[in-house]
Amino acid sequence: HEEALQLTLLLRKKYPTDPTLHRLINKLKKNIRTQELGSRGGFIKGALKTIKAFRKDKNFASAIQASKELLEIDPQNRKAEKLLNKSKIDLIDQKLHDPIRKQYLENEEYQKLYFFYQKLKKVFPNYQKLNAMIKETERQMIIQDRATKKTFSDESLNKIKNLFGEGKYEKVIAAAEDLILYTHYGSKESSDLLKKAKKANEKEIEDKMLEYMLNQQPILEASFKSGS
């Protein structure tokens, strides 16, 4: 049809007023358009068949890619769009059965699990099932973080108590101040120990100064007498 159209267009240049040529040109154009639409329809039908075959083989990644390629050619194709979303959800569900996810759950490695879910979320951000899992993982991370901080706080507090018992007040002050900041001023015991350590440290300094002055008194008196 295309070659025939080109030849007819050449003839029309020679016979511009011939009505038969005009009718023939219009008919050829219509036939070419019908042929193009038929070819396009056949391509779309074949593409949909390919997507379904990928899905049947549980090759959801390839089904997603094929659906995207079809939508680039035919953006309004609802079947392709539906198959794309279904394939995204099926791919996520498939990945959720990965043994590594089970391992993260069993070992309570919630941070790793969180990143595992986030990668899947990129596939289909609006999947409610996955978003619920992410929310629960975030909750577990907070609980785990609190438990870790409490363990650290308890261990640090015991060390501070030991330092206080050994009379190492300056170390107590430094450690207690760090712990107070770490717990966001939530450790009352460390605050109490800090106050006691500061008071004991001041008394220790005063006692040492008094002892020094008493030790220096005979020297000062001897120096005073020799000078007089």
Side-chain angles (χ1 to χ4, degrees):
H1 293 295
E2 187 65 37
E3 291 181 3
L5 178 62
Q6 295 301 323
L7 289 171
T8 307
L9 288 171
L10 289 172
L11 286 171
R12 188 175 67 174
K13 288 181 180 180
K14 190 174 182 180
Y15 307 102
T17 59
D18 190 329
T20 304
L21 289 175
H22 283 288
R23 287 195 296 272
L24 181 59
I25 288 170
N26 290 332
K27 185 176 180 181
L28 287 170
K29 284 182 177 180
K30 184 178 179 181
N31 289 339
I32 289 170
R33 179 59 178 164
T34 301
Q35 189 177 42
E36 287 176 347
L37 290 174
S39 298
R40 186 170 182 271
F43 172 81
I44 291 172
K45 187 176 180 180
L48 289 171
K49 187 176 180 181
T50 299
I51 295 167
K52 290 175 181 177
F54 281 138
R55 285 183 49 77
K56 186 177 180 180
D57 293 338
K58 299 190 182 301
N59 188 352
F60 301 117
S62 294
I64 291 170
Q65 184 61 35
S67 299
K68 287 180 178 178
E69 290 173 358
L70 177 54
L71 285 167
E72 287 178 4
I73 296 168
D74 186 12
Q76 304 302 321
N77 194 306
R78 292 185 179 180
K79 289 182 179 179
E81 187 175 356
K82 187 176 180 181
L83 286 169
L84 174 62
N85 290 333
K86 285 180 69 176
S87 297
K88 286 179 176 180
I89 290 173
D90 288 338
L91 177 64
I92 292 172
D93 285 338
Q94 188 180 62
K95 295 293 185 182
L96 289 175
H97 288 89
D98 193 316
I100 193 67
R101 173 178 176 263
K102 183 179 180 181
Q103 179 183 317
Y104 290 155
L105 282 168
E106 289 176 351
N107 297 337
E108 297 183 353
E109 296 177 281
Y110 296 115
Q111 190 169 10
K112 291 181 179 179
L113 183 63
Y114 178 78
F115 288 125
F116 175 81
Y117 286 151
Q118 286 298 328
K119 287 181 181 179
L120 294 181
K121 187 174 181 178
K122 291 178 182 178
V123 176
F124 191 48
N126 299 323
Y127 190 22
Q128 292 183 358
K129 176 182 174 181
L130 179 62
N131 287 332
M133 289 180 175
I134 291 173
K135 189 174 181 180
E136 173 60 21
T137 303
E138 288 173 342
R139 190 180 74 85
Q140 291 296 336
M141 286 171 65
I142 292 170
I143 293 171
Q144 194 175 63
D145 183 60
R146 286 175 181 170
T148 301
K149 284 186 175 180
K150 186 178 185 306
T151 300
F152 176 80
S153 297
D154 290 344
E155 290 175 353
S156 298
L157 189 59
N158 288 332
K159 290 178 182 178
I160 292 170
K161 288 178 180 178
N162 291 334
L163 289 170
F164 188 87
E166 294 169 3
K168 298 177 181 178
Y169 303 122
E170 290 185 358
K171 289 186 177 181
V172 170
I173 292 169
E177 287 177 343
D178 288 344
L179 183 57
I180 288 168
L181 290 174
Y182 178 78
T183 59
H184 301 286
Y185 298 89
S187 176
K188 186 177 182 304
E189 284 189 84
S190 56
S191 297
D192 291 342
L193 281 168
L194 177 61
K195 291 176 184 177
K196 290 178 181 179
K198 283 183 176 181
K199 188 174 180 180
N201 193 48
E202 289 173 1
K203 186 177 183 306
E204 188 177 70
I205 292 171
E206 289 174 358
D207 290 343
K208 286 181 179 180
M209 284 295 296
L210 178 60
E211 183 181 355
Y212 175 78
M213 290 174 66
L214 290 173
N215 290 335
Q216 291 296 313
Q217 187 173 353
I219 298 172
L220 290 171
E221 288 177 352
S223 177
F224 179 75
K225 289 178 180 179
S226 64
S228 61

